[in-house]
Amino acid sequence: MAGAVGGLISLPAWANGWTAESVRSVQPFISAEQTELLAEMVETIIPATDTPGAKALNVHQFVQKMVADCYDKSAQDRFKNGLESLDSWAQKSFGKPFSQGDVAQRTGLMTQLSKSADSAQKDFYGLVKGLTIRGYMTSEYVMTNLTHYQFIPGHYYGCVPVSKK
């Protein structure tokens, strides 16, 4: 029972300290244009500051891999529909495709999606935001350079001198 619960809680093995190579899909389930759009969306959620942004860390590849490997077909379809609709939502909101909007316009659209009465828009935004944060925080860069993560149990000293008192 405890093993089953642990298996449900834990991420796939590739999802901790992942790199672009470890999450690269053999057969991507979204188009190259949708991948670029997803990259712009995750960069809007976590932009570059004095640390790399989500796009620079290839978090969009993590999001794509998680949706492809860990979500059912209906969730994958909702994800693809959300990406297909993102540009039309951007056209309605600020008159340009999402990737051509400035930071304020993109952020405004994200805020609209998060507060939308349409559950499809709100669910799509929630899915991408949650996976973006998870992907960023479990990336190799963040785990090694910012959180200084050490794999449990940490250091093991199997043979140490013992002093007599």
Side-chain angles (χ1 to χ4, degrees):
M1 178 73 173
V5 172
L8 291 173
I9 293 171
S10 67
L11 291 171
W14 55 261
N16 285 322
W18 61 271
T19 62
E21 292 76 29
S22 67
V23 296
R24 185 164 289 131
S25 294
V26 175
Q27 188 173 20
F29 78 103
I30 59 175
S31 68
E33 294 82 23
Q34 289 174 326
T35 299
E36 269 305 307
L37 187 59
L38 180 60
E40 295 300 327
M41 190 175 178
V42 300
E43 181 68 15
T44 304
I45 294 170
I46 302 178
T49 56
D50 56 339
T51 59
K55 183 178 178 182
L57 296 181
N58 294 310
V59 171
H60 58 288
Q61 291 178 349
F62 174 87
V63 172
Q64 186 177 345
K65 178 83 170 174
M66 285 292 287
V67 173
D69 287 2
C70 301
Y71 286 82
D72 62 11
K73 179 78 172 127
S74 65
Q76 291 174 0
D77 289 342
R78 287 193 306 272
F79 177 76
K80 286 175 76 172
N81 291 338
L83 282 175
E84 290 171 1
S85 301
L86 186 59
D87 272 337
S88 65
W89 296 332
Q91 286 285 353
K92 288 178 188 171
S93 180
F94 50 85
K96 299 177 190 172
F98 182 80
S99 60
Q100 294 178 8
D102 61 28
V103 173
Q105 291 170 329
R106 290 180 186 188
T107 304
L109 179 60
M110 297 286 189
T111 303
Q112 288 176 4
L113 293 177
S114 71
K115 296 178 180 176
S116 176
D118 182 356
S119 65
Q121 290 180 352
K122 196 171 186 174
D123 291 347
F124 168 70
Y125 174 73
L127 174 67
V128 174
K129 180 182 175 184
L131 289 175
T132 299
I133 293 169
R134 178 176 289 172
Y136 190 82
M137 294 306 294
T138 58
S139 69
E140 183 178 22
Y141 175 83
V142 170
M143 291 182 81
T144 57
N145 297 311
L146 302 179
T147 63
H148 306 290
Y149 174 79
Q150 291 186 345
F151 192 73
I152 295 174
H155 295 285
Y156 174 71
Y157 303 104
C159 183
V160 295
V162 178
S163 62
K164 293 182 181 178
K165 289 192 174 186

